Amino acid sequence: MAQRRSIIVLLALSGSLGAVSAPAQSYNTSPLRVAPHPRPVDASSPAVLVNVSKLPKTVEVSITAAITTLSMQPGVKSETFAYNGQVPGPTLDVREGDHVIVHFKNNLPEATTIHWHGIHLPFDSDGSPYHPIAPGATHDYEFTVHAGTAGTYWYHPHPDHRTGFAIGKGLYGGIIVRAADDPLPAMPDKLLILSDNRFLQDGAIDFPDAHSQHAIKDESNGREGPVLFVNGQVMPTISIRSGEVQRWRIVNASAGRIYRLSLTGHTLLQVGTDGGLFEKPIEMKDILLTTGERIELLVRGSDAPGAHSVLQNLGYDRYVPQTRPLDWDTTRDLLTLQTTSEAPVIPVAIPASLRKIIPLDTAKSTAVRTIVFSQGLINGKTMDMTRVDVSTTVGATEIWEIENVVGMDHPFHLHGFQFQVLDRDGVPEKYRAWKDMLNIPKHSSARIIVRYDDFPGKWMFHCHILDHEDHGMMGVLEVK
Ligand SMILES: [Cu+2]
C-alpha cells in the first residue's frame, strides 16, 4: 500500500445519539494505524446516474460496462471493469413509485448481467444467470419501484460462475430508493460502499491461477484483499459539523469479507437494513455487516470542533481454522470522520418511531423449506440451472429453515423477495426488518418467513460469498 503509516493518538471521544448515554468503549489501539490521507480524499458519494426522461415518475438511465484503466490505489494504475468508467459505478437514485428503465450496453469481452440486489422486480429484469448479456450486446432492464421499499440496495453482475471475478474487477454500484414520505428529517445523506481488493506489484488486480495455493484459499474463504476501500478510496474523510447529524447508507460489496463496524468514541444508531428502515432506531456498540448486506446509520458530529473519529472494521472470525488469515482480528481503519472547526449546531430531533412493519403471519405458512449449507453445497448439491430446488406458487407464504452445518459462516441471499427473520438458533428476532441478506454463522441456524406476492419466475437463492456462489453454492426457487 502506498499510504504513509503513522501513529495516531486516539482522542478521548464520547458521543451518543440517543437519550441513553453509553459507557466509553475501549478499542484495539494497535500502534500501526493508517493516517488520515495527507490531503484528505473526500468520501463523497459516487456520481448519480443522469435521468434523461422528461416523463413524471420515470427514471431512464444508461449504463455501459467496459474495460477501464483507473487509479484504484494512489499513484498506481489498474485495469478494471467499470460501469460508466467509474468504480464504484454511478448510483441509481430513485423514488418509490418510479418506473425505471436502464439501457445497458455490455462492452466487456465476456457475458455479464446486472442484478438489482434486493429490488422486488419481474424475473426477466433480475439479471440472474438465466439472462446473460453477450459481449457487445445491449439490454433494457425495466422495473417499477414499489411503495414501502425505500432503502439502500446495490447492483452488480451475476453471470454464471463469474460473479466474483466481475465484482472484483470493479463492477458494483449503489441504489438509493427514497421514500414518498420519509420519517427522518432532512440531513446530509452519504452512500458508503465498502470493498476490498488485492493487487500485484504492477497494479493488476490479483486473481490467482486456478489450482494455486492462493486460489484454493480464495475458494475456501472467499477472495479477500488487504486494501480496504470506501467508495473506491483508501481511507477517505467525511467532514461533519459538531452537532450535525448525517445519514450513512453502508453497502458491503466485498466478495467474502464480513465487516464488524464501529466508530471510535461513538455509539452507532442504526435506523435500517436491507429493505429499509426499522420500526425504531436501535443503538449498537458495533454492527456486523455481512456480504451484500446494507445498513443505515445516523451519525452525529459529537466530537469537539477540529477533532476526529475513525470508522473501523473490528476483527470477526467467520473462517475455518485451516484457512483463517493470521491477521483476522486486526482492527482496520476505513475512514476518518473529521469534525470541522465551525461552532457546534443543535442536532436535529430523531423520531422515536420510524414506520410500522407488519409481521408476516406464520399461521398462513403453507410450507416449511429446509436449506442445509455445507461447504460449497446446498442440500448436498451444487447448482444446476436446469433443476428446480424449491417449487411454489404466487401468493404463498413459506418458512425457510436455514442451517449451516460447517465451521464457516455462509451469508444467505434470496433474489426477488424480501423476507423477515423469525429466529436465530431458536432465539426470536428482537426487532422487525425486511431483509434479503442473512449471515448464517458457523454451526448455527435461522428461520425466515417470505411471501411470494407476485412475479412468477426462477429466482436464485445462494451463499453470498462470491467464490462459494460461483462454485455452485446456489439453488433455484421457481414461483409459478
Ligand atoms: Cu458460503
Side-chain angles (χ1 to χ4, degrees):
M1 290 208 306
Q3 280 158 329
R4 190 168 54 88
R5 289 178 174 273
S6 69
I7 296 169
I8 292 179
V9 179
L10 285 178
L11 303 172
L13 304 165
S14 69
S16 170
L17 276 157
V20 188
S21 72
Q25 293 149 33
S26 63
Y27 293 91
N28 179 353
T29 49
S30 61
L32 276 180
R33 289 189 175 283
V34 179
H37 204 276
R39 272 182 34 234
V41 179
D42 184 22
S44 58
S45 306
V48 172
L49 284 163
V50 177
N51 177 15
V52 299
S53 176
K54 299 280 184 285
L55 300 171
K57 298 189 85 59
T58 304
V59 173
E60 186 176 2
V61 299
S62 294
I63 298 178
T64 299
I67 292 176
T68 308
T69 299
L70 288 173
S71 180
M72 297 182 87
Q73 308 163 90
V76 189
K77 293 239 188 295
S78 304
E79 186 195 277
T80 73
F81 287 180
Y83 288 129
N84 293 2
Q86 299 160 41
V87 177
T91 304
L92 178 64
D93 193 327
V94 298
R95 305 188 79 83
E96 289 176 348
D98 281 350
H99 185 68
V100 180
I101 304 156
V102 180
H103 303 295
F104 176 60
K105 173 88 198 283
N106 179 16
N107 278 348
L108 298 168
E110 61 183 67
T112 191
T113 74
I114 303 183
H115 170 55
W116 312 91
H117 182 123
I119 302 281
H120 186 46
L121 42 53
F123 167 58
D124 58 5
S125 276
D126 186 44
S128 81
Y130 286 111
H131 298 107
I133 315 297
T138 59
H139 181 74
D140 287 350
Y141 291 97
E142 264 191 80
F143 54 91
T144 298
V145 181
H146 291 245
T149 63
T152 306
Y153 303 84
W154 64 303
Y155 65 94
H156 62 77
H158 209 308
D160 200 20
H161 301 299
R162 295 283 282 178
T163 298
F165 176 76
I167 297 179
K169 286 288 274 185
L171 294 174
Y172 56 91
I175 304 171
I176 297 175
V177 174
R178 299 187 191 277
D181 186 15
D182 198 319
L184 289 169
M187 63 180 79
D189 194 320
K190 313 269 182 189
L191 175 67
L192 303 172
I193 306 182
L194 308 184
S195 65
D196 63 302
N197 219 327
R198 201 167 72 214
F199 300 88
L200 300 173
Q201 284 290 331
D202 63 0
I205 298 172
D206 177 16
F207 292 95
D209 295 331
H211 312 299
S212 66
Q213 279 303 312
H214 227 140
I216 291 163
K217 200 165 177 180
D218 284 356
E219 280 176 36
S220 172
N221 291 342
R223 181 174 169 274
E224 290 191 335
V227 188
L228 302 185
F229 294 97
V230 180
N231 294 343
Q233 308 283 354
V234 177
M235 198 55 193
T237 294
I238 287 179
S239 293
I240 195 167
R241 192 163 172 180
S242 187
E244 176 186 317
V245 181
Q246 297 184 351
R247 182 174 186 167
W248 288 9
R249 303 165 181 271
I250 306 182
V251 178
N252 181 359
S254 284
R257 187 179 294 273
I258 297 178
Y259 295 79
R260 188 155 67 90
L261 297 172
S262 80
L263 182 61
T264 55
H266 289 246
T267 298
L268 299 174
L269 193 69
Q270 187 178 359
V271 292
T273 180
D274 302 331
L277 295 176
F278 291 149
E279 294 191 298
K280 53 181 191 259
I282 298 165
E283 281 198 355
M284 307 278 274
K285 185 165 67 71
D286 53 68
I287 298 174
L288 206 68
L289 183 68
T290 200
T291 50
E293 194 175 29
R294 290 85 65 205
I295 52 171
E296 290 193 34
L297 303 178
L298 299 185
V299 174
R300 196 182 81 184
S302 55
D303 302 341
H308 73 269
S309 305
V310 179
L311 182 71
Q312 295 182 315
N313 179 28
L314 311 177
Y316 172 68
D317 183 9
R318 67 181 181 85
Y319 311 93
V320 288
Q322 295 87 330
T323 54
R324 180 166 49 216
L326 292 174
D327 63 348
W328 71 269
D329 65 345
T330 303
T331 296
R332 296 285 308 275
D333 294 344
L334 296 172
L335 71 78
T336 302
L337 178 64
Q338 179 68 49
T339 308
T340 69
S341 53
E342 300 160 281
V345 293
I346 294 169
V348 292
I350 306 305
S353 174
L354 299 173
R355 67 163 169 168
K356 192 83 198 139
I357 296 176
I358 295 166
L360 293 177
D361 186 355
T362 53
K364 294 215 170 99
S365 168
T366 51
V368 177
R369 310 292 182 180
T370 303
I371 304 294
V372 177
F373 281 173
S374 54
Q375 199 62 11
L377 304 171
I378 297 179
N379 292 352
K381 297 172 193 156
T382 55
M383 215 231 348
D384 178 348
M385 280 171 56
T386 64
R387 186 184 70 222
V388 169
D389 297 282
V390 178
S391 184
T392 188
T393 52
V394 169
T397 299
E398 297 185 349
I399 291 170
W400 289 38
E401 295 179 345
I402 309 158
E403 187 182 6
N404 180 354
V405 298
V406 292
M408 171 179 274
D409 291 20
H410 293 289
F412 173 84
H413 174 49
L414 175 64
H415 284 216
F417 306 94
Q418 294 275 323
F419 54 80
Q420 295 176 354
V421 180
L422 294 171
D423 46 53
R424 307 189 200 208
D425 273 339
V427 179
E429 191 75 344
K430 287 193 202 70
Y431 43 85
R432 264 177 227 140
W434 288 109
K435 301 284 298 165
D436 56 69
M437 284 303 319
L438 182 64
N439 194 48
I440 313 292
K442 50 184 86 167
H443 299 296
S444 78
S445 64
R447 288 194 319 142
I448 63 170
I449 185 165
V450 59
R451 183 172 186 275
Y452 318 108
D453 52 359
D454 48 21
F455 299 140
K458 288 183 175 176
W459 302 93
M460 323 306 298
F461 58 91
H462 60 87
C463 173
H464 214 287
I465 290 175
L466 301 180
D467 299 82
H468 297 180
E469 170 189 333
D470 285 338
H471 285 88
M473 206 173 163
M474 181 149 63
V476 176
L477 160 72
E478 182 169 28
V479 181
K480 286 183 182 164

